[in-house]
Amino acid sequence: MVLKIHGNKMSTCTNRVRTVCEELGVPYEIVPIDFSKGEHKAPEFTAIQPFGQVPYLDDEGFKLFESRAMARYIALKYGGVGKLIPDPKDVQKTALFEQAASIELCNFDPYASGLARENIFKPMFGGKTDSAVVEELKTTLEGKLAAYDIILGKTKYLAGDEYTLADLFHLPYGALLEKQGIDYLVSGRWPNVTRWWKDIASRESWKKVTSA
Amino acid sequence: MVLKLYGNVVSTCANRVRVVCEELGVSYELIPVEFTKREHKSPEYMAVQPFGQVPYLDDDGFKVFESRAIARYIALKYGGIGRLIPDPKDLQKTALFEQAASIELTNFDFYAGTLALDNIFKPLFAKKMPNPAAIEALKSGLEGRLAGYDVLLSRTKYLAGDEITIVDLFHLPHGSLLEKQGIDFLVSGRWPNVTRWWIDISSRESWKKIASR
């Protein structure tokens, strides 16, 4: 039976999961959740996802939410070990993967998603961008990318010399930076970051998810 | 050779690692990195941790940073499988563990960690006072999330299921600091399952040992 992802193609977090499916050739079906109709806050949805956040996965009755957990589950179950995540028996490689996964969540996502929230989603839903918050987020992100540049000067990808989910997780909010006129990932100001970003953003899986 | 943890007893993130070591009876040496002397921003320190953040681990030359990655590594290597983390061969249990791990970072630490930073650490170390509107927004956000936690913890004893995992422990450092800020969200019983769970995890011997030093 085909995986069901309850979400939509506009949702950054849904696209994080779709990209993993595309990478591994795993068929999936989107069960549409319409934000504008508040479907993500409806009782049927919050019975499964109590935070009212999109997406969640239904794998033949086994339900899971949090896009990164869904991605890890799909990778573990459908041939991602050795391709997108290291073999858990390799304790050091796994540690460096978890280090990279934590870096993405703690040192990139709060700032990149915060910027998307202020500059894109707030105006979209009738709110007002707070320019002081935007400046603070940008300044912090600049400092973080300087550190990324050091790490990516030593290895090709964030966890080592092989592409992993930790790199992929950056794609949805990373791609939205340019749409806000923030060129941090593409300008070459941090050359290793730009080299890495161009690599991961040009993968077929991401191009397919963003074109559909 | 004994594990070397570069950090200090005040650091919430170092304590996240230390509580896991205590749970598993893993010996470690705490090598002091003092915030007040800005040692975490020294070239020697940043050569290992380029974000200038505490802690990092040195296991016989193998270096890891990010407290949750360090904790996972220690659990995997030193007997945590089946005790604090699920067996990776159990796919569904692992998936629910990863769901819980993601919840902790995006739905708890985002608010509780920033509250601690704004109300306690920035005033203490950077003489930067909090913005009251920002604090109220963070508190409001956390209230919404804890309502979600209460639903989950009405179904299972701990966040990933009926067994404690490192993910429950991950909440301890920033969770404990909420009360110090006069925020009683975890202890008041307003969200009864959250309070039941919080009292359980914060009364463990491993945490009491860390929190006392």
Side-chain angles (χ1 to χ4, degrees):
Chain A
M1 214 177 90
V2 139
L3 293 183
K4 290 187 178 155
I5 299 176
H6 293 247
N8 65 66
K9 293 176 179 179
M10 295 298 296
S11 148
T12 45
C13 299
T14 303
N15 288 342
R16 192 175 279 125
V17 183
R18 291 174 67 211
T19 309
V20 178
C21 291
E22 295 294 343
E23 278 281 332
L24 297 171
V26 177
Y28 65 93
E29 183 192 317
I30 301 259
V31 178
I33 302 293
D34 192 335
F35 290 132
S36 64
K37 295 181 190 162
E39 287 177 353
H40 56 311
K41 306 293 178 189
E44 313 82 70
F45 190 89
T46 59
I48 311 229
Q49 219 287 11
F51 302 100
Q53 296 161 331
V54 154
Y56 77 80
L57 180 77
D58 183 343
D59 183 6
E60 264 186 302
F62 175 65
K63 297 183 179 75
L64 193 65
F65 56 89
E66 296 293 313
S67 63
R68 294 168 184 82
M70 291 162 64
R72 286 167 174 258
Y73 169 72
I74 290 165
L76 265 177
K77 190 173 178 187
Y78 296 102
V81 175
K83 277 179 81 175
L84 288 180
I85 49 171
D87 188 334
K89 290 194 286 298
D90 187 332
V91 174
Q92 288 195 359
K93 209 168 181 182
T94 296
L96 294 174
F97 168 74
E98 294 298 350
Q99 175 181 285
S102 183
I103 288 169
E104 185 269 326
L105 257 170
C106 301
N107 288 303
F108 181 81
D109 192 74
Y111 313 103
S113 73
L115 282 164
R117 187 175 16 250
E118 286 298 326
N119 285 327
I120 301 177
F121 300 123
K122 260 186 172 178
M124 197 182 270
F125 292 106
K128 197 168 167 259
T129 302
D130 185 331
S131 49
V133 170
V134 168
E135 282 317 299
E136 201 180 330
L137 288 169
K138 283 174 74 177
T139 303
T140 310
L141 184 56
E142 287 171 49
K144 301 301 188 183
L145 292 175
Y148 265 72
D149 207 57
I150 293 170
I151 296 170
L152 294 165
K154 297 176 184 170
T155 53
K156 194 172 177 198
Y157 298 101
L158 204 61
D161 288 321
E162 288 152 42
Y163 181 71
T164 67
L165 291 183
D167 304 290
L168 187 157
F169 288 168
H170 294 75
L171 288 167
Y173 286 118
L176 286 179
L177 286 173
E178 248 189 304
K179 295 204 198 315
Q180 304 166 57
I182 300 170
D183 67 357
Y184 292 170
L185 298 178
V186 297
S187 71
R189 178 175 169 189
W190 298 286
N192 300 304
V193 170
T194 296
R195 187 248 330 131
W196 163 81
W197 177 256
K198 288 194 167 148
D199 180 323
I200 67 172
S202 63
R203 288 178 82 91
E204 280 312 308
S205 53
W206 180 244
K207 292 205 280 200
K208 194 167 175 198
V209 164
T210 48
S211 65
Chain B
M1 214 178 94
V2 133
L3 295 181
K4 289 184 180 161
L5 186 66
Y6 287 77
N8 60 65
V9 298
V10 182
S11 156
T12 48
C13 299
N15 287 341
R16 190 174 284 122
V17 178
R18 293 173 69 216
V19 71
V20 174
C21 290
E22 294 296 339
E23 280 281 334
L24 296 171
V26 174
S27 311
Y28 65 95
E29 192 188 323
L30 188 65
I31 313 260
V33 178
E34 296 302 336
F35 291 133
T36 48
K37 296 180 194 165
R38 293 191 66 73
E39 288 177 353
H40 56 310
K41 304 295 179 188
S42 72
E44 309 79 62
Y45 190 85
M46 289 183 68
V48 180
Q49 219 287 11
F51 298 96
Q53 296 161 330
V54 157
Y56 76 80
L57 182 81
D58 183 342
D59 184 3
D60 235 340
F62 175 65
K63 297 182 180 75
V64 193
F65 56 88
E66 296 293 311
S67 62
R68 294 167 184 83
I70 298 172
R72 285 170 176 256
Y73 170 73
I74 289 168
L76 261 178
K77 192 173 175 188
Y78 296 103
I81 292 184
R83 281 174 70 184
L84 287 181
I85 50 172
D87 189 328
K89 292 196 283 295
D90 188 331
L91 263 185
Q92 292 195 357
K93 211 168 179 179
T94 296
L96 293 171
F97 169 80
E98 294 299 349
Q99 174 181 283
S102 184
I103 289 169
E104 185 267 325
L105 261 166
T106 61
N107 288 304
F108 180 81
D109 198 67
F110 181 80
Y111 304 96
T114 311
L115 279 164
L117 192 66
D118 286 0
N119 274 334
I120 301 176
F121 297 117
K122 277 182 178 173
L124 193 64
F125 294 116
K127 305 280 184 275
K128 192 174 172 213
M129 299 318 286
N131 173 334
I135 298 295
E136 282 317 300
L138 286 166
K139 285 173 70 177
S140 192
L142 184 55
E143 286 172 278
R145 304 306 181 191
L146 290 176
Y149 266 73
D150 206 56
V151 172
L152 292 171
L153 293 166
S154 70
R155 298 172 185 167
T156 54
K157 196 173 174 194
Y158 298 100
L159 203 62
D162 288 323
E163 288 151 41
I164 197 171
T165 65
I166 50 175
V167 173
D168 302 287
L169 301 179
F170 287 170
H171 294 78
L172 288 166
H174 287 133
S176 302
L177 287 179
L178 286 172
E179 252 191 302
K180 295 202 198 316
Q181 301 165 59
I183 300 169
D184 67 356
F185 292 173
L186 298 177
V187 297
S188 72
R190 180 175 168 190
W191 297 286
N193 300 297
V194 171
T195 297
R196 189 253 322 136
W197 163 80
W198 177 257
I199 288 173
D200 179 323
I201 64 171
S202 58
S203 61
R204 289 179 83 88
E205 279 313 306
S206 53
W207 180 245
K208 292 205 285 201
K209 198 171 170 191
I210 300 302
S212 66
R213 297 204 228 129

